[in-house]
Amino acid sequence: MDWDKVYKAYDGKRCSAELDLMGQINILSNAKIVKTLNVLLIGISKCNLACNYCYCRHEQMQIMDVKSFITIFNKLNRYFASDVEFHLVFHGGEPLLLGKSFYRVVFSFLKGQQRAFHTSIQTNLTLLDEEFMSIFTANNCTVGTSIDGSKLMHDTNRIYKDGRGTYDDVLRAVNALEADEAPFGGFVVTLNDTNIASAENLYDSLRCFRGASIGFSIVFKSTDTSETILDSEQLGGFLVDLFDIWVHDDSPLRLTFFENIIRNCLGINLCPECTFSKQCADNFLAINALGDVFTCCDFEGMQKFSYGNILSSDFQDIWESPIRRALLDRLSKRTISQECCECEHFDICNSGCMAKTTRGFSDRDCYCFAYRMLFSHIRGQLPALIACTHRISEALAGDEMKNI
């Protein structure tokens, strides 16, 4: 597979990761910041897979219909200023189970809107066919999926309900997307006990996707489940090892997790990793099929964190709800832990993800120890990375690299 077609950020160059990444950072420092509202539409609770680490738990089927989607969009459209761009993400469950007619009508409706928007779908790809691809390509809807590394790593957890692995079906769908020249958004890798055993093995298993954007989602224990979480020290060691492999790779993967952390370290927050965002409640909304509104998918299903119901309430009441105000106030000195306030990495971490805490959303991220290991390691290498950019500033001046 020729992933160079989608590797626009590096323009086909094969220089080291230090030069590539820092070159992007130099250009990003002068880029225009666009106001974006990320709307995660959890349109269906059902999924055709039975992934071992899935955090979604629903006793009853929930399906969003077109009428509900239009109501949601219209309420958001009326409330937010015209210069705010909407990023509408179809999520699940498995969003392809909403069916082709749903997407045809939704995209037809969106074409008549004046609001600047972008659409994407996060799907396991196992139900993708030519007709779905045609719908998404015609409407410039970016398709993203999940891959957990090698076939063995992936098929250990991402399985059908009869126990069969999904790796081969996902790869076939990815190849079909490339052949169709459909807009592809890249991969999410869920870090879990299976694939963090060896940073080298995971990195090598992802080399065939060099050029595609690759993000990380770290498995966690929701307050509503009995799932176990990773050992933080093991995770930290893995992330440090993976960073070193990535930095010294002559043909680096597009690991957005590391890129965004380095941007945070340098004070360039144009595309922040949501885990370390200072105010994610300002930029993200998750809305399920029933219309219940949350900060993100990680909170969905925990009703005590719901802002309210967008289908039955005025959106101003939702946006100004006590729950949202409490989440926005999370990083104030009144609520944040003393350990976080005194931590040298607080400026880039912001206490981590508030959905992945062990003692309430105002506490620190349960993977704090792992992140501190990684931040210390990265910050120790920043002087060398920055010095490297000074030596090649003239060479970078003519590059056509851009952030995607």
Side-chain angles (χ1 to χ4, degrees), residues 227-246:
E227 292 182 71
T228 57
I229 60 175
L230 305 179
D231 178 81
S232 200
E233 185 173 3
Q234 181 188 10
L235 176 63
F238 164 83
L239 291 173
V240 167
D241 290 345
L242 192 68
F243 179 84
D244 286 343
I245 295 169
W246 173 70

Side-chain angles (χ1 to χ4, degrees), residues 243 265 345 373-385:
F243 179 84
C265 289
H345 303 303
M373 287 177 64
L374 178 63
F375 297 152
S376 295
H377 186 73
I378 291 177
R379 279 184 148 159
Q381 297 193 38
L382 280 180
L385 294 176

Side-chain angles (χ1 to χ4, degrees), residues 345-399:
H345 303 303
F346 182 68
D347 59 324
I348 59 173
C349 170
N350 296 302
S351 293
C353 178
M354 57 188 172
K356 296 181 174 68
T357 63
T358 53
R359 295 187 300 272
F361 67 83
S362 63
D363 194 23
R364 57 181 176 164
D365 193 302
C366 64
Y367 292 123
C368 171
F369 184 83
Y371 294 142
R372 286 164 64 184
M373 287 177 64
L374 178 63
F375 297 152
S376 295
H377 186 73
I378 291 177
R379 279 184 148 159
Q381 297 193 38
L382 280 180
L385 294 176
I386 294 172
C388 190
T389 63
H390 294 324
R391 293 195 301 270
I392 61 158
S393 57
E394 291 184 3
L396 286 171
D399 282 355

Side-chain angles (χ1 to χ4, degrees), residues 52-57 219-222 225-229:
N52 293 326
Y53 49 58
C54 182
Y55 58 82
C56 296
R57 299 289 184 270
V219 69
F220 73 104
K221 179 173 67 175
S222 166
T225 74
S226 59
E227 292 182 71
T228 57
I229 60 175

Side-chain angles (χ1 to χ4, degrees), residues 21-35:
L21 179 57
M22 299 308 294
Q24 286 188 77
I25 289 172
N26 283 345
I27 293 171
L28 279 170
S29 63
N30 296 316
K32 180 182 178 181
I33 299 177
V34 177
K35 298 178 183 177

Side-chain angles (χ1 to χ4, degrees), residues 124-193:
N124 62 45
L125 284 185
T126 60
L127 300 175
L128 190 76
D129 59 20
E130 290 289 340
E131 196 172 352
F132 264 129
M133 283 194 294
S134 177
I135 293 171
F136 297 136
T137 301
N139 293 282
N140 198 32
C141 179
T142 303
V143 180
T145 193
S146 295
I147 200 83
D148 281 0
S150 66
K151 179 177 172 62
L152 176 61
M153 294 173 184
H154 183 95
D155 286 348
T156 297
N157 291 294
R158 300 193 62 83
I159 57 177
Y160 290 107
K161 294 180 180 180
D162 62 4
R164 290 178 297 120
T166 61
Y167 184 87
D168 291 338
D169 291 337
V170 172
L171 263 291
R172 276 193 290 271
V174 170
N175 283 325
L177 286 168
E178 187 208 8
D180 196 56
E181 298 185 350
F184 186 69
F187 301 95
V188 173
V189 177
T190 299
L191 299 181
N192 58 81
D193 283 326

Side-chain angles (χ1 to χ4, degrees), residues 1-15:
M1 189 183 326
D2 185 8
W3 282 105
D4 283 339
K5 292 180 180 178
V6 290
Y7 204 18
K8 297 177 182 177
Y10 296 135
D11 196 28
K13 300 184 185 301
R14 298 297 175 263
C15 48

